[in-house]
Amino acid sequence: MRKSRYSEEQIIGMLREHDAGVSTKEVCRKYGISDATFYKYKAKFGGMTVSDAQRLKSLELENNRLKRLLADAMLDNAALKDLAFKKLLTPDVKRQAVHHMVTRHGLSERRACALAELDRSTFQYQKRSGGDDALRARLRDLAGERRRFGYRRLGILLEREGLYANHKKVYRLYREEGLAVRRRRGRKRSVGTRRPILLPAAANHRWSLDFVSDALIDGRRFRTLCVVDDFTREALAVVVDTSLSGVRVARELDRLIERRGKPRMIVSDNGTELTSHAILRWQKDSGVEWHYIAPGKPTQNAFVESFNGRFRDECLNEHLFSSLGEARDLIEAWRIDYNTERPHTALGGLAPCVYAERTRHPRPGSLELRASAAHRALTNHINPERKANRLY
């Protein structure tokens, strides 16, 4: 039914004229309405005043508004329930939710953004390419060359080549390219209280050494003697042979001392080769202090143990050795790369040889000078327990 051309006030005026004595036909002829329309007006507005009509109209408007609100609320509830996402947390998820509500339920963009609590400018924003193609390509190449490197070391290598990007961007590209390497972790075991390892103050103050075993393709076993400088983290030597006796260890240490100088202390475990008479004689003749860690406590020799983990993960597990000569060549090439190219996170991303060179000639106020001062402070610190032991 179309809307009447007379307002409620005019209709009430017609009814008052009829009540005053004007006949129905005259009223209908005067206002151009039929008898049926007049009686409908009378059934609806009979006995009402203008204020009553206005109040009735406002009630009808309010009722219609409440009906629209209820319908909108039900539609919003149905649209939210239809979403596949349980929680709208990230902008990408909210953007997908808004697109779904607009296309599936016919909601307006403004209304869908309000439901998803997303700003319209964020929804309308079109992502632009940041020009990361060169960075992605080089990151893939480096990850292929350095298969066991994580995104932080790869980021350091990118910076060396002039491709600057913060660690968050490198991590995002690293994940998007699927370069993450799953590493099998050992079972965690409960440990007692630990004492911090005192750090040496300069190069050649303390060396650590340990053995690592592996096998050739034909199944023959071979051993490697790893010697590490605890201050510069340099791999001083990785000696490869089928057998490494105490005499051989002493001979290799003499060669290192001729090339590099005598250390103040050497740290090792209690293996039979390192507690043999040959090593005891070498200690006495050379005058080098030798410290044996407590049995079953490899964490007391943590520097070389950490090196052994990197050595096995990045070299031994990556190659199949057909002969002892090939093993020596590949391991020596890896050792040189470890010392000269591989970034070491404990050294601020520098390679061990670069760090050693900078600590020999530090610039005033440089990071290396402050690190060296911190090393000396840790070395000179004597806790009460050690001081009491010295008194006796």
Side-chain angles (χ1 to χ4, degrees), residues 154-195:
L154 293 176
I156 294 172
L157 295 179
L158 290 173
E159 288 185 5
R160 290 181 184 176
E161 299 179 2
L163 298 173
Y164 296 98
N166 61 20
H167 67 280
K168 293 181 289 185
K169 184 173 184 178
V170 174
Y171 178 71
R172 176 173 60 81
L173 299 178
Y174 184 80
R175 292 295 299 270
E176 289 177 359
E177 295 297 323
L179 302 176
V181 178
R182 290 188 177 275
R183 185 170 297 179
R184 188 173 183 178
R185 301 290 183 179
R187 180 173 59 89
K188 291 186 177 181
R189 296 173 176 84
S190 60
V191 295
T193 57
R194 294 178 177 175
R195 290 178 57 184

mmCIF file of all heavy atoms in Angstrom, residues 154-195:
data_model
loop_
_atom_site.group_PDB
_atom_site.id
_atom_site.type_symbol
_atom_site.label_atom_id
_atom_site.label_comp_id
_atom_site.label_asym_id
_atom_site.label_seq_id
_atom_site.Cartn_x
_atom_site.Cartn_y
_atom_site.Cartn_z
ATOM 1 N N LEU A 154 73.693 -16.134 7.803
ATOM 2 C CA LEU A 154 73.482 -15.765 6.405
ATOM 3 C C LEU A 154 73.291 -14.258 6.265
ATOM 4 O O LEU A 154 73.746 -13.655 5.277
ATOM 5 C CB LEU A 154 72.260 -16.503 5.848
ATOM 6 C CG LEU A 154 72.407 -18.025 5.711
ATOM 7 C CD1 LEU A 154 71.089 -18.634 5.251
ATOM 8 C CD2 LEU A 154 73.511 -18.389 4.733
ATOM 9 N N GLY A 155 72.630 -13.637 7.241
ATOM 10 C CA GLY A 155 72.483 -12.180 7.209
ATOM 11 C C GLY A 155 73.816 -11.460 7.316
ATOM 12 O O GLY A 155 74.036 -10.425 6.672
ATOM 13 N N ILE A 156 74.731 -11.993 8.125
ATOM 14 C CA ILE A 156 76.066 -11.398 8.232
ATOM 15 C C ILE A 156 76.803 -11.508 6.903
ATOM 16 O O ILE A 156 77.476 -10.563 6.452
ATOM 17 C CB ILE A 156 76.847 -12.085 9.363
ATOM 18 C CG1 ILE A 156 76.194 -11.780 10.719
ATOM 19 C CG2 ILE A 156 78.305 -11.628 9.381
ATOM 20 C CD1 ILE A 156 76.792 -12.571 11.868
ATOM 21 N N LEU A 157 76.686 -12.656 6.246
ATOM 22 C CA LEU A 157 77.333 -12.823 4.943
ATOM 23 C C LEU A 157 76.733 -11.873 3.905
ATOM 24 O O LEU A 157 77.456 -11.343 3.048
ATOM 25 C CB LEU A 157 77.196 -14.271 4.474
ATOM 26 C CG LEU A 157 77.909 -15.332 5.323
ATOM 27 C CD1 LEU A 157 77.672 -16.717 4.748
ATOM 28 C CD2 LEU A 157 79.409 -15.054 5.410
ATOM 29 N N LEU A 158 75.418 -11.640 3.958
ATOM 30 C CA LEU A 158 74.796 -10.696 3.041
ATOM 31 C C LEU A 158 75.308 -9.278 3.270
ATOM 32 O O LEU A 158 75.551 -8.528 2.311
ATOM 33 C CB LEU A 158 73.265 -10.738 3.202
ATOM 34 C CG LEU A 158 72.550 -11.996 2.709
ATOM 35 C CD1 LEU A 158 71.091 -11.957 3.103
ATOM 36 C CD2 LEU A 158 72.681 -12.141 1.202
ATOM 37 N N GLU A 159 75.476 -8.905 4.542
ATOM 38 C CA GLU A 159 75.994 -7.574 4.837
ATOM 39 C C GLU A 159 77.412 -7.398 4.323
ATOM 40 O O GLU A 159 77.792 -6.311 3.869
ATOM 41 C CB GLU A 159 75.944 -7.320 6.345
ATOM 42 C CG GLU A 159 74.552 -7.108 6.888
ATOM 43 C CD GLU A 159 74.563 -6.749 8.357
ATOM 44 O OE1 GLU A 159 75.671 -6.568 8.912
ATOM 45 O OE2 GLU A 159 73.477 -6.655 8.945
ATOM 46 N N ARG A 160 78.211 -8.451 4.401
ATOM 47 C CA ARG A 160 79.568 -8.352 3.872
ATOM 48 C C ARG A 160 79.576 -8.072 2.378
ATOM 49 O O ARG A 160 80.495 -7.438 1.859
ATOM 50 C CB ARG A 160 80.324 -9.666 4.137
ATOM 51 C CG ARG A 160 80.658 -9.906 5.598
ATOM 52 C CD ARG A 160 81.427 -11.215 5.740
ATOM 53 N NE ARG A 160 81.697 -11.545 7.133
ATOM 54 C CZ ARG A 160 82.287 -12.676 7.520
ATOM 55 N NH1 ARG A 160 82.652 -13.568 6.607
ATOM 56 N NH2 ARG A 160 82.504 -12.913 8.800
ATOM 57 N N GLU A 161 78.542 -8.524 1.674
ATOM 58 C CA GLU A 161 78.453 -8.304 0.229
ATOM 59 C C GLU A 161 77.715 -7.023 -0.132
ATOM 60 O O GLU A 161 77.495 -6.744 -1.310
ATOM 61 C CB GLU A 161 77.757 -9.501 -0.433
ATOM 62 C CG GLU A 161 78.500 -10.821 -0.234
ATOM 63 C CD GLU A 161 77.772 -11.985 -0.871
ATOM 64 O OE1 GLU A 161 76.716 -11.744 -1.499
ATOM 65 O OE2 GLU A 161 78.256 -13.127 -0.753
ATOM 66 N N GLY A 162 77.305 -6.252 0.879
ATOM 67 C CA GLY A 162 76.627 -4.990 0.611
ATOM 68 C C GLY A 162 75.125 -5.087 0.504
ATOM 69 O O GLY A 162 74.473 -4.087 0.178
ATOM 70 N N LEU A 163 74.533 -6.246 0.766
ATOM 71 C CA LEU A 163 73.081 -6.413 0.739
ATOM 72 C C LEU A 163 72.565 -6.261 2.164
ATOM 73 O O LEU A 163 72.477 -7.225 2.925
ATOM 74 C CB LEU A 163 72.701 -7.783 0.160
ATOM 75 C CG LEU A 163 73.126 -8.020 -1.290
ATOM 76 C CD1 LEU A 163 72.849 -9.461 -1.689
ATOM 77 C CD2 LEU A 163 72.401 -7.075 -2.227
ATOM 78 N N TYR A 164 72.242 -5.038 2.545
ATOM 79 C CA TYR A 164 71.870 -4.747 3.924
ATOM 80 C C TYR A 164 70.378 -4.978 4.144
ATOM 81 O O TYR A 164 69.546 -4.498 3.375
ATOM 82 C CB TYR A 164 72.227 -3.301 4.277
ATOM 83 C CG TYR A 164 73.708 -3.013 4.231
ATOM 84 C CD1 TYR A 164 74.285 -2.410 3.124
ATOM 85 C CD2 TYR A 164 74.538 -3.377 5.289
ATOM 86 C CE1 TYR A 164 75.648 -2.165 3.067
ATOM 87 C CE2 TYR A 164 75.893 -3.136 5.244
ATOM 88 C CZ TYR A 164 76.442 -2.533 4.136
ATOM 89 O OH TYR A 164 77.783 -2.297 4.090
ATOM 90 N N ALA A 165 70.055 -5.712 5.206
ATOM 91 C CA ALA A 165 68.670 -5.946 5.622
ATOM 92 C C ALA A 165 68.703 -6.334 7.089
ATOM 93 O O ALA A 165 69.620 -7.035 7.535
ATOM 94 C CB ALA A 165 68.011 -7.050 4.791
ATOM 95 N N ASN A 166 67.722 -5.845 7.854
ATOM 96 C CA ASN A 166 67.722 -6.196 9.272
ATOM 97 C C ASN A 166 67.352 -7.667 9.459
ATOM 98 O O ASN A 166 66.887 -8.337 8.537
ATOM 99 C CB ASN A 166 66.775 -5.287 10.068
ATOM 100 C CG ASN A 166 65.335 -5.388 9.609
ATOM 101 O OD1 ASN A 166 64.947 -6.366 8.967
ATOM 102 N ND2 ASN A 166 64.537 -4.394 9.913
ATOM 103 N N HIS A 167 67.601 -8.161 10.673
ATOM 104 C CA HIS A 167 67.454 -9.596 10.922
ATOM 105 C C HIS A 167 66.006 -10.055 10.762
ATOM 106 O O HIS A 167 65.748 -11.208 10.412
ATOM 107 C CB HIS A 167 67.962 -9.934 12.320
ATOM 108 C CG HIS A 167 67.125 -9.359 13.426
ATOM 109 N ND1 HIS A 167 67.219 -8.041 13.833
ATOM 110 C CD2 HIS A 167 66.167 -9.910 14.208
ATOM 111 C CE1 HIS A 167 66.367 -7.813 14.811
ATOM 112 N NE2 HIS A 167 65.711 -8.928 15.061
ATOM 113 N N LYS A 168 65.027 -9.164 10.988
ATOM 114 C CA LYS A 168 63.623 -9.559 10.843
ATOM 115 C C LYS A 168 63.271 -9.806 9.377
ATOM 116 O O LYS A 168 62.562 -10.769 9.051
ATOM 117 C CB LYS A 168 62.720 -8.467 11.432
ATOM 118 C CG LYS A 168 62.851 -8.316 12.935
ATOM 119 C CD LYS A 168 61.926 -7.257 13.479
ATOM 120 C CE LYS A 168 62.404 -5.876 13.071
ATOM 121 N NZ LYS A 168 61.590 -4.808 13.698
ATOM 122 N N LYS A 169 63.785 -8.965 8.507
ATOM 123 C CA LYS A 169 63.510 -9.166 7.085
ATOM 124 C C LYS A 169 64.212 -10.417 6.563
ATOM 125 O O LYS A 169 63.643 -11.189 5.796
ATOM 126 C CB LYS A 169 63.970 -7.937 6.299
ATOM 127 C CG LYS A 169 63.638 -8.012 4.818
ATOM 128 C CD LYS A 169 63.968 -6.711 4.119
ATOM 129 C CE LYS A 169 63.541 -6.750 2.665
ATOM 130 N NZ LYS A 169 63.818 -5.468 1.976
ATOM 131 N N VAL A 170 65.470 -10.611 6.997
ATOM 132 C CA VAL A 170 66.191 -11.807 6.580
ATOM 133 C C VAL A 170 65.460 -13.057 7.061
ATOM 134 O O VAL A 170 65.329 -14.046 6.324
ATOM 135 C CB VAL A 170 67.637 -11.779 7.111
ATOM 136 C CG1 VAL A 170 68.353 -13.086 6.797
ATOM 137 C CG2 VAL A 170 68.406 -10.625 6.495
ATOM 138 N N TYR A 171 64.958 -13.019 8.294
ATOM 139 C CA TYR A 171 64.228 -14.177 8.831
ATOM 140 C C TYR A 171 62.951 -14.434 8.038
ATOM 141 O O TYR A 171 62.607 -15.592 7.750
ATOM 142 C CB TYR A 171 63.900 -13.937 10.300
ATOM 143 C CG TYR A 171 63.114 -15.049 10.939
ATOM 144 C CD1 TYR A 171 63.701 -16.287 11.200
ATOM 145 C CD2 TYR A 171 61.783 -14.880 11.284
ATOM 146 C CE1 TYR A 171 62.981 -17.313 11.782
ATOM 147 C CE2 TYR A 171 61.050 -15.896 11.861
ATOM 148 C CZ TYR A 171 61.661 -17.108 12.104
ATOM 149 O OH TYR A 171 60.940 -18.124 12.680
ATOM 150 N N ARG A 172 62.235 -13.352 7.653
ATOM 151 C CA ARG A 172 60.995 -13.524 6.883
ATOM 152 C C ARG A 172 61.291 -14.162 5.528
ATOM 153 O O ARG A 172 60.610 -15.114 5.117
ATOM 154 C CB ARG A 172 60.311 -12.163 6.697
ATOM 155 C CG ARG A 172 59.069 -12.219 5.838
ATOM 156 C CD ARG A 172 58.352 -10.886 5.836
ATOM 157 N NE ARG A 172 59.172 -9.823 5.324
ATOM 158 C CZ ARG A 172 59.373 -9.563 4.039
ATOM 159 N NH1 ARG A 172 58.797 -10.308 3.121
ATOM 160 N NH2 ARG A 172 60.133 -8.552 3.667
ATOM 161 N N LEU A 173 62.293 -13.651 4.838
ATOM 162 C CA LEU A 173 62.643 -14.233 3.544
ATOM 163 C C LEU A 173 63.153 -15.666 3.702
ATOM 164 O O LEU A 173 62.880 -16.533 2.872
ATOM 165 C CB LEU A 173 63.701 -13.369 2.854
ATOM 166 C CG LEU A 173 63.294 -11.928 2.538
ATOM 167 C CD1 LEU A 173 64.451 -11.187 1.894
ATOM 168 C CD2 LEU A 173 62.078 -11.893 1.637
ATOM 169 N N TYR A 174 63.893 -15.894 4.789
ATOM 170 C CA TYR A 174 64.431 -17.228 5.076
ATOM 171 C C TYR A 174 63.306 -18.243 5.241
ATOM 172 O O TYR A 174 63.365 -19.359 4.720
ATOM 173 C CB TYR A 174 65.285 -17.117 6.338
ATOM 174 C CG TYR A 174 66.014 -18.364 6.761
ATOM 175 C CD1 TYR A 174 67.197 -18.749 6.146
ATOM 176 C CD2 TYR A 174 65.547 -19.135 7.819
ATOM 177 C CE1 TYR A 174 67.888 -19.872 6.558
ATOM 178 C CE2 TYR A 174 66.222 -20.262 8.237
ATOM 179 C CZ TYR A 174 67.397 -20.624 7.605
ATOM 180 O OH TYR A 174 68.070 -21.743 8.013
ATOM 181 N N ARG A 175 62.250 -17.842 5.943
ATOM 182 C CA ARG A 175 61.114 -18.726 6.140
ATOM 183 C C ARG A 175 60.287 -18.874 4.857
ATOM 184 O O ARG A 175 59.819 -19.971 4.531
ATOM 185 C CB ARG A 175 60.222 -18.195 7.266
ATOM 186 C CG ARG A 175 60.846 -18.253 8.634
ATOM 187 C CD ARG A 175 61.092 -19.682 9.074
ATOM 188 N NE ARG A 175 59.853 -20.427 9.157
ATOM 189 C CZ ARG A 175 59.090 -20.527 10.235
ATOM 190 N NH1 ARG A 175 59.469 -19.900 11.350
ATOM 191 N NH2 ARG A 175 57.984 -21.229 10.241
ATOM 192 N N GLU A 176 60.066 -17.772 4.144
ATOM 193 C CA GLU A 176 59.267 -17.844 2.917
ATOM 194 C C GLU A 176 59.929 -18.724 1.859
ATOM 195 O O GLU A 176 59.233 -19.383 1.079
ATOM 196 C CB GLU A 176 59.056 -16.437 2.365
ATOM 197 C CG GLU A 176 58.107 -15.582 3.204
ATOM 198 C CD GLU A 176 57.979 -14.175 2.657
ATOM 199 O OE1 GLU A 176 58.648 -13.889 1.635
ATOM 200 O OE2 GLU A 176 57.227 -13.377 3.240
ATOM 201 N N GLU A 177 61.250 -18.741 1.835
ATOM 202 C CA GLU A 177 61.962 -19.560 0.857
ATOM 203 C C GLU A 177 62.119 -21.008 1.308
ATOM 204 O O GLU A 177 62.654 -21.834 0.577
ATOM 205 C CB GLU A 177 63.344 -18.963 0.576
ATOM 206 C CG GLU A 177 63.309 -17.609 -0.099
ATOM 207 C CD GLU A 177 62.668 -17.676 -1.477
ATOM 208 O OE1 GLU A 177 62.888 -18.686 -2.165
ATOM 209 O OE2 GLU A 177 61.962 -16.730 -1.855
ATOM 210 N N GLY A 178 61.681 -21.322 2.519
ATOM 211 C CA GLY A 178 61.768 -22.694 3.022
ATOM 212 C C GLY A 178 63.191 -23.163 3.242
ATOM 213 O O GLY A 178 63.521 -24.318 2.966
ATOM 214 N N LEU A 179 64.034 -22.280 3.794
ATOM 215 C CA LEU A 179 65.443 -22.607 3.969
ATOM 216 C C LEU A 179 65.767 -23.106 5.369
ATOM 217 O O LEU A 179 66.921 -23.432 5.643
ATOM 218 C CB LEU A 179 66.304 -21.367 3.668
ATOM 219 C CG LEU A 179 66.123 -20.762 2.271
ATOM 220 C CD1 LEU A 179 66.952 -19.511 2.137
ATOM 221 C CD2 LEU A 179 66.492 -21.770 1.206
ATOM 222 N N ALA A 180 64.781 -23.132 6.253
ATOM 223 C CA ALA A 180 65.057 -23.548 7.633
ATOM 224 C C ALA A 180 65.486 -25.014 7.668
ATOM 225 O O ALA A 180 64.915 -25.861 6.981
ATOM 226 C CB ALA A 180 63.815 -23.339 8.506
ATOM 227 N N VAL A 181 66.494 -25.301 8.474
ATOM 228 C CA VAL A 181 67.020 -26.661 8.617
ATOM 229 C C VAL A 181 66.593 -27.192 9.971
ATOM 230 O O VAL A 181 66.878 -26.580 11.007
ATOM 231 C CB VAL A 181 68.559 -26.670 8.507
ATOM 232 C CG1 VAL A 181 69.099 -28.077 8.698
ATOM 233 C CG2 VAL A 181 68.990 -26.109 7.166
ATOM 234 N N ARG A 182 65.887 -28.283 9.954
ATOM 235 C CA ARG A 182 65.466 -28.893 11.222
ATOM 236 C C ARG A 182 66.647 -29.610 11.852
ATOM 237 O O ARG A 182 67.340 -30.382 11.207
ATOM 238 C CB ARG A 182 64.319 -29.881 10.989
ATOM 239 C CG ARG A 182 63.026 -29.200 10.608
ATOM 240 C CD ARG A 182 61.885 -30.193 10.577
ATOM 241 N NE ARG A 182 60.629 -29.551 10.282
ATOM 242 C CZ ARG A 182 59.849 -28.982 11.191
ATOM 243 N NH1 ARG A 182 60.220 -28.994 12.457
ATOM 244 N NH2 ARG A 182 58.714 -28.409 10.851
ATOM 245 N N ARG A 183 66.829 -29.324 13.107
ATOM 246 C CA ARG A 183 67.946 -29.928 13.812
ATOM 247 C C ARG A 183 67.409 -30.817 14.926
ATOM 248 O O ARG A 183 66.560 -30.402 15.707
ATOM 249 C CB ARG A 183 68.841 -28.831 14.392
ATOM 250 C CG ARG A 183 70.095 -29.348 15.056
ATOM 251 C CD ARG A 183 71.046 -28.224 15.376
ATOM 252 N NE ARG A 183 71.496 -27.553 14.165
ATOM 253 C CZ ARG A 183 72.309 -26.520 14.162
ATOM 254 N NH1 ARG A 183 72.753 -26.027 15.304
ATOM 255 N NH2 ARG A 183 72.687 -25.969 13.032
ATOM 256 N N ARG A 184 67.944 -32.004 14.992
ATOM 257 C CA ARG A 184 67.479 -32.949 16.009
ATOM 258 C C ARG A 184 68.179 -32.638 17.319
ATOM 259 O O ARG A 184 69.412 -32.671 17.425
ATOM 260 C CB ARG A 184 67.798 -34.380 15.579
ATOM 261 C CG ARG A 184 67.177 -35.432 16.469
ATOM 262 C CD ARG A 184 67.386 -36.810 15.885
ATOM 263 N NE ARG A 184 66.753 -37.827 16.682
ATOM 264 C CZ ARG A 184 66.748 -39.104 16.382
ATOM 265 N NH1 ARG A 184 67.335 -39.513 15.273
ATOM 266 N NH2 ARG A 184 66.146 -39.989 17.151
ATOM 267 N N ARG A 185 67.385 -32.328 18.314
ATOM 268 C CA ARG A 185 67.928 -31.953 19.611
ATOM 269 C C ARG A 185 67.987 -33.164 20.533
ATOM 270 O O ARG A 185 67.163 -34.062 20.464
ATOM 271 C CB ARG A 185 67.058 -30.878 20.276
ATOM 272 C CG ARG A 185 66.942 -29.602 19.439
ATOM 273 C CD ARG A 185 68.236 -28.846 19.411
ATOM 274 N NE ARG A 185 68.111 -27.597 18.683
ATOM 275 C CZ ARG A 185 69.077 -26.731 18.517
ATOM 276 N NH1 ARG A 185 70.283 -26.995 19.018
ATOM 277 N NH2 ARG A 185 68.890 -25.620 17.833
ATOM 278 N N GLY A 186 68.975 -33.162 21.394
ATOM 279 C CA GLY A 186 69.086 -34.221 22.380
ATOM 280 C C GLY A 186 68.109 -34.032 23.523
ATOM 281 O O GLY A 186 67.550 -32.953 23.728
ATOM 282 N N ARG A 187 67.899 -35.076 24.242
ATOM 283 C CA ARG A 187 66.968 -35.008 25.368
ATOM 284 C C ARG A 187 67.564 -34.152 26.478
ATOM 285 O O ARG A 187 68.748 -34.252 26.813
ATOM 286 C CB ARG A 187 66.700 -36.424 25.897
ATOM 287 C CG ARG A 187 65.741 -36.458 27.078
ATOM 288 C CD ARG A 187 65.394 -37.890 27.416
ATOM 289 N NE ARG A 187 66.564 -38.678 27.749
ATOM 290 C CZ ARG A 187 67.052 -38.771 28.983
ATOM 291 N NH1 ARG A 187 66.487 -38.099 29.977
ATOM 292 N NH2 ARG A 187 68.107 -39.524 29.223
ATOM 293 N N LYS A 188 66.737 -33.278 27.052
ATOM 294 C CA LYS A 188 67.208 -32.427 28.131
ATOM 295 C C LYS A 188 67.344 -33.237 29.408
ATOM 296 O O LYS A 188 66.478 -34.031 29.764
ATOM 297 C CB LYS A 188 66.251 -31.261 28.363
ATOM 298 C CG LYS A 188 66.261 -30.244 27.223
ATOM 299 C CD LYS A 188 65.410 -29.065 27.574
ATOM 300 C CE LYS A 188 65.475 -28.011 26.477
ATOM 301 N NZ LYS A 188 64.658 -26.832 26.802
ATOM 302 N N ARG A 189 68.435 -32.998 30.095
ATOM 303 C CA ARG A 189 68.692 -33.696 31.357
ATOM 304 C C ARG A 189 68.876 -32.670 32.469
ATOM 305 O O ARG A 189 69.359 -31.565 32.229
ATOM 306 C CB ARG A 189 69.945 -34.577 31.237
ATOM 307 C CG ARG A 189 69.798 -35.708 30.226
ATOM 308 C CD ARG A 189 71.115 -36.432 30.037
ATOM 309 N NE ARG A 189 70.978 -37.582 29.147
ATOM 310 C CZ ARG A 189 71.017 -37.512 27.829
ATOM 311 N NH1 ARG A 189 71.179 -36.335 27.245
ATOM 312 N NH2 ARG A 189 70.886 -38.597 27.091
ATOM 313 N N SER A 190 68.493 -33.075 33.656
ATOM 314 C CA SER A 190 68.655 -32.165 34.789
ATOM 315 C C SER A 190 70.124 -32.047 35.152
ATOM 316 O O SER A 190 70.892 -33.005 35.082
ATOM 317 C CB SER A 190 67.865 -32.692 35.997
ATOM 318 O OG SER A 190 68.342 -33.972 36.365
ATOM 319 N N VAL A 191 70.524 -30.856 35.492
ATOM 320 C CA VAL A 191 71.914 -30.594 35.863
ATOM 321 C C VAL A 191 71.935 -29.860 37.193
ATOM 322 O O VAL A 191 70.971 -29.222 37.598
ATOM 323 C CB VAL A 191 72.631 -29.743 34.788
ATOM 324 C CG1 VAL A 191 72.731 -30.498 33.486
ATOM 325 C CG2 VAL A 191 71.899 -28.423 34.553
ATOM 326 N N GLY A 192 73.058 -29.941 37.859
ATOM 327 C CA GLY A 192 73.230 -29.234 39.118
ATOM 328 C C GLY A 192 73.659 -27.799 38.877
ATOM 329 O O GLY A 192 73.549 -27.254 37.782
ATOM 330 N N THR A 193 74.155 -27.169 39.913
ATOM 331 C CA THR A 193 74.620 -25.802 39.780
ATOM 332 C C THR A 193 75.910 -25.771 38.957
ATOM 333 O O THR A 193 76.742 -26.663 39.031
ATOM 334 C CB THR A 193 74.889 -25.209 41.172
ATOM 335 O OG1 THR A 193 75.838 -26.034 41.857
ATOM 336 C CG2 THR A 193 73.614 -25.144 41.989
ATOM 337 N N ARG A 194 76.072 -24.718 38.167
ATOM 338 C CA ARG A 194 77.221 -24.582 37.304
ATOM 339 C C ARG A 194 78.023 -23.347 37.681
ATOM 340 O O ARG A 194 77.461 -22.317 38.048
ATOM 341 C CB ARG A 194 76.782 -24.459 35.837
ATOM 342 C CG ARG A 194 76.114 -25.701 35.289
ATOM 343 C CD ARG A 194 75.676 -25.461 33.863
ATOM 344 N NE ARG A 194 75.079 -26.650 33.272
ATOM 345 C CZ ARG A 194 74.536 -26.682 32.065
ATOM 346 N NH1 ARG A 194 74.511 -25.603 31.338
ATOM 347 N NH2 ARG A 194 74.024 -27.799 31.587
ATOM 348 N N ARG A 195 79.334 -23.466 37.557
ATOM 349 C CA ARG A 195 80.200 -22.326 37.762
ATOM 350 C C ARG A 195 80.548 -21.728 36.408
ATOM 351 O O ARG A 195 80.829 -22.435 35.450
ATOM 352 C CB ARG A 195 81.488 -22.745 38.478
ATOM 353 C CG ARG A 195 81.273 -23.134 39.930
ATOM 354 C CD ARG A 195 82.568 -23.585 40.551
ATOM 355 N NE ARG A 195 83.594 -22.564 40.441
ATOM 356 C CZ ARG A 195 84.852 -22.745 40.844
ATOM 357 N NH1 ARG A 195 85.226 -23.918 41.343
ATOM 358 N NH2 ARG A 195 85.724 -21.780 40.716
#
